[in-house]
Amino acid sequence: MKRLPALGLIFAGGTYYLDQRGRWLAVRSERDIGPWLAGLPELKLIATVKPAFVLGEGAGPVTSVQWQRLAETIAEQYRQVDGVIVLHGVESFVYTAAALSLALTHLNKPIVLTGSPSARAKPRRPARSAIKLGAYRDVGVRANLLNAAHLALGDLAEVVVTYGNGIFRASQLERSSDQANVFASASDKTLGRVDFGVNLKAPVSPRHQRRVLVRPRFDPKVHVLDYHPGVSDGWLEQHRRTLAGLVVTLDDLRALTPAFRKQLLQARRENIAPVLYLPTARVSQERQLIIVNDMTLEMTLVKLMWALGQTREYGRIAKLMHQNIAGEKIKRLRQ
Amino acid sequence: MRVYLYTPATNRLDLSSFHGRIKRLLRQAGAAVTTNTERTADGLSAAELEAIEAAGGIALDTMDAVVIEATESDSRVGYLLAYAVARQKPTLFLYHKRSGQPELLTLLDKRAAPKTLVIKGFLSDNLDEVLQNFLRGFKELEVTEQPTVKFTLRLTKTMEKYLSYKTHNTETTKADWLRDEIDAKMKKDEAFWKWLKRQAE
């Protein structure tokens, strides 16, 4: 029999599903993986699975420490498998998607993120018999995992997300504002849809032979400040000791007071990297500070953390922030 | 009733011909068939597909059953089979007997396979029967069969007069009248349909 493809399966939450007996299964520790996989016999029809545990269900939010571990774990498995799936909880999913798309580039096969709905979505009491579970069969990671497996064996070499009926570029992911879908693409263009299977409809980087570049370091000491009238001009002075970077969100550059702007320039000289996030700005006259208006806020935050993990020099940070590393730059951000 | 029919691309003329027959038989039975090979008048329209997607749904979930002709399996066949197992969607997995069982089936854990998954080898002369047996489990469908079983029935003289009386000046023959009566009783007999479905599995 011809070899079944191999898929890496990385556990970082998002693992809930209802088994045939009406029990909720999830992976909270490494020893849960075996029984969890045993309840998903359909996976064996598609691929052999090489599991790796990073974070258990309910272990808390995923931070830059886990991003680094995830990237390193993926890198360890990458050569031995035909594609990688990362299971992740809905909370902080968008940040992890951004982080992995920056930490792992020059990919030669896909990395697909997916997961189960939030733990709160499951019913308080499991139904007593399998017959009554009809309504609950749709809850859980099963369908998403199948779609992720199909996608992870496809002809693409990017970090992507599949959730529900959507397929998205990880670097453009955001939470959806409508109730029907959990995630959306900030560019308003998805990579494809799940209808009668996984269907890619937009151009993607295909598989090829290049060597993956792993840059997993992030500096977590970055804060997001929503600048508005009332923000003290002395804010930075009060917080500078805890900061390596700062993302200041505002609608108009002219709203920044001269005193606050002076604080930002001073921070630059003290190795704190300020970035101004102006999603609605079309033209920027700013020369001394980094302006971002073509990425999501989540990506801007994560990218600054990542850039600070590579360098402390503001000029190089600016270059990295302006460079389109993983398709995160969007010509027209969806408002 | 909505059926998704998946037929992998093939160079074999015999398989292509079977694909056409399967499509016809499903339609004759009254199913609205969506296929992977063509846009069809009875399948999901582009507008319906858009509406399902906008609501966050998956088109395959809206199908009442899936039929897969898997003699020459591709990656989509594996996906659909896995889907049938995971979602317990009524699925008929067909393969041409002369080509042997698809390798994919050796990976299927028969104990975990749901009862809704029916795996059948077929030949040219029994394809209709295989499909009809599968479709009988769906009450919405009229499975049109041709009467081919010869049955000798002795009646009393009064019964024969009754048959003449019921069919006089009608276009219905006595044999047709009897078949219609049996058909009417059969349709209402729930226990029979459940039994028949078990026989087909």
Side-chain angles (χ1 to χ4, degrees):
Chain A
M1 183 173 162
K2 66 180 178 190
R3 180 188 80 92
L4 210 57
L7 286 177
L9 183 58
I10 318 290
F11 290 86
T15 58
Y16 283 104
Y17 74 85
L18 210 53
D19 75 356
Q20 305 290 352
R21 292 184 213 170
R23 301 172 306 173
W24 282 100
L25 297 188
V27 173
R28 290 183 176 79
S29 69
E30 198 161 355
R31 64 168 181 263
D32 293 331
I33 292 177
W36 188 91
L37 281 171
L40 298 168
E42 60 267 21
L43 268 187
K44 291 181 201 165
L45 293 166
I46 297 179
T48 56
V49 168
K50 291 188 186 308
F53 180 84
V54 170
L55 193 67
E57 209 68 63
V62 178
T63 66
S64 59
V65 171
Q66 283 80 33
W67 296 339
Q68 181 165 347
R69 269 183 68 201
L70 273 169
E72 287 165 350
T73 304
I74 293 168
E76 274 167 25
Q77 276 210 347
Y78 204 65
R79 266 200 215 162
Q80 305 154 31
V81 296
D82 298 291
V84 176
I85 299 170
V86 178
L87 293 177
H88 193 289
V90 168
E91 303 86 8
S92 72
F93 192 106
V94 173
Y95 296 96
T96 301
L100 290 181
S101 66
L102 296 167
L104 297 150
T105 55
H106 298 76
L107 297 180
N108 52 54
K109 61 193 86 157
I111 297 170
V112 183
L113 278 83
T114 192
S116 64
S118 151
R120 288 187 219 109
K122 65 183 172 87
R124 283 171 195 238
R125 286 185 206 158
R128 287 190 181 198
S129 81
I131 295 165
K132 291 176 192 168
L133 294 174
Y136 301 143
R137 287 201 192 284
D138 296 322
V139 183
V141 78
R142 267 197 140 102
N144 283 342
L145 184 53
L146 264 186
N147 296 328
H150 201 206
L151 195 55
L153 296 173
D155 186 15
L156 70 157
E158 295 195 30
V159 183
V160 296
V161 169
T162 182
Y163 209 99
N165 67 12
I167 304 170
F168 313 95
R169 186 161 274 133
S171 59
Q172 296 181 359
L173 195 72
E174 61 180 12
R175 288 298 289 263
S176 173
S177 54
D178 71 64
Q179 290 195 0
N181 300 288
V182 177
F183 298 116
S185 173
S187 71
D188 221 9
K189 285 179 190 164
T190 59
L191 288 184
R193 283 284 176 211
V194 180
D195 44 40
F196 296 103
V198 157
N199 285 310
L200 286 170
K201 290 176 182 169
V204 291
S205 297
R207 286 176 184 258
H208 49 67
Q209 294 299 316
R210 67 184 169 186
R211 201 167 168 174
V212 64
L213 184 57
V214 186
R215 293 178 286 184
R217 292 187 61 185
F218 295 83
D219 189 329
K221 296 188 299 298
V222 177
H223 190 92
V224 176
L225 173 68
D226 180 21
Y227 190 84
H228 53 82
V231 169
S232 156
D233 287 340
W235 187 94
L236 236 144
E237 182 59 41
Q238 290 163 22
H239 293 89
R240 62 166 26 99
R241 283 195 198 130
T242 62
L243 292 178
L246 176 68
V247 176
V248 180
T249 72
L250 63 170
D251 289 327
D252 194 322
L253 204 51
R254 291 169 295 185
L256 215 55
T257 64
F260 198 89
R261 186 187 149 76
K262 195 173 168 186
Q263 290 281 316
L264 291 177
L265 292 172
Q266 176 63 25
R268 240 195 78 173
R269 287 189 280 276
E270 294 172 4
N271 279 337
I272 296 171
V275 168
L276 301 178
Y277 184 72
L278 290 114
T280 55
R282 294 198 186 274
V283 175
S284 166
Q285 303 298 328
E286 178 57 58
R287 304 258 166 140
Q288 294 179 289
L289 294 168
I290 301 167
I291 301 265
V292 170
N293 60 2
D294 55 0
M295 297 188 287
T296 65
L297 177 58
E298 293 88 346
M299 174 52 92
T300 303
L301 167 65
V302 171
K303 196 172 183 186
L304 182 56
M305 289 180 175
W306 176 79
L308 286 163
Q310 317 311 308
T311 180
R312 289 295 200 197
E313 200 265 296
Y314 196 69
R316 287 180 62 196
I317 291 171
K319 197 173 171 189
L320 287 172
M321 291 302 289
H322 291 312
Q323 194 181 341
N324 192 11
I325 295 180
E328 70 273 21
K329 296 287 185 177
I330 299 164
K331 275 186 188 158
R332 189 180 303 161
L333 265 178
R334 197 160 61 108
Q335 299 298 326
Chain B
M1 178 188 165
R2 294 196 141 138
V3 176
Y4 179 65
L5 169 62
Y6 183 77
T7 55
T10 181
N11 292 325
R12 281 174 57 172
L13 288 173
D14 60 333
L15 286 183
S16 294
S17 154
F18 288 136
H19 296 168
R21 255 173 84 183
I22 294 167
K23 231 180 293 184
R24 265 195 317 277
L25 283 162
L26 288 171
R27 289 202 174 110
Q28 274 169 14
V33 182
T34 303
T35 79
N36 60 301
T37 53
E38 59 184 18
R39 280 197 185 280
T40 58
D42 56 332
L44 279 181
S45 66
E48 282 176 302
L49 209 51
E50 257 187 63
I52 293 167
E53 285 173 6
I58 291 177
L60 196 50
D61 284 345
T62 67
M63 297 287 119
D64 298 298
V66 176
V67 176
I68 310 167
E69 197 291 304
T71 306
E72 292 179 338
S73 295
D74 59 16
S75 66
R76 184 62 67 97
V77 168
Y79 169 83
L80 287 170
L81 185 60
Y83 175 87
V85 170
R87 305 289 271 170
Q88 312 228 338
K89 178 74 70 177
T91 299
L92 177 61
F93 185 95
L94 292 167
Y95 63 93
H96 195 255
K97 267 187 177 169
R98 289 219 175 94
S99 301
Q101 253 197 16
E103 276 187 64
L104 184 59
L105 290 179
T106 61
L107 300 169
L108 179 67
D109 181 350
K110 305 264 186 324
R111 291 168 301 175
K115 288 180 182 166
T116 50
L117 173 62
V118 176
I119 298 170
K120 287 287 180 189
F122 71 90
L123 294 168
S124 178
D125 56 8
N126 78 339
L127 177 58
D128 295 26
E129 187 187 338
V130 166
L131 275 163
Q132 281 163 4
N133 283 341
F134 175 71
L135 294 173
R136 276 205 190 90
F138 299 96
K139 281 197 279 185
E140 304 94 328
L141 294 182
E142 285 282 337
V143 180
T144 310
E145 290 178 82
Q146 293 303 314
T148 55
V149 178
K150 196 161 180 180
F151 192 92
T152 302
L153 177 66
R154 291 192 184 276
L155 301 173
T156 63
K157 282 185 182 166
T158 313
M159 282 177 183
E160 197 276 329
K161 280 180 179 161
Y162 181 68
L163 278 176
S164 299
Y165 167 75
K166 291 303 280 187
T167 56
H168 181 62
N169 277 343
T170 72
E171 289 178 9
T172 307
T173 64
K174 290 171 192 170
D176 278 342
W177 189 90
L178 278 168
R179 278 192 281 264
D180 288 344
E181 288 294 304
I182 294 170
D183 211 35
K185 280 182 103 62
M186 193 170 70
K187 276 184 182 135
K188 289 181 197 166
D189 194 336
E190 298 267 352
F192 167 70
W193 292 109
K194 284 182 187 158
W195 173 83
L196 193 66
K197 195 170 175 185
R198 283 198 300 274
Q199 298 299 306
E201 284 162 8

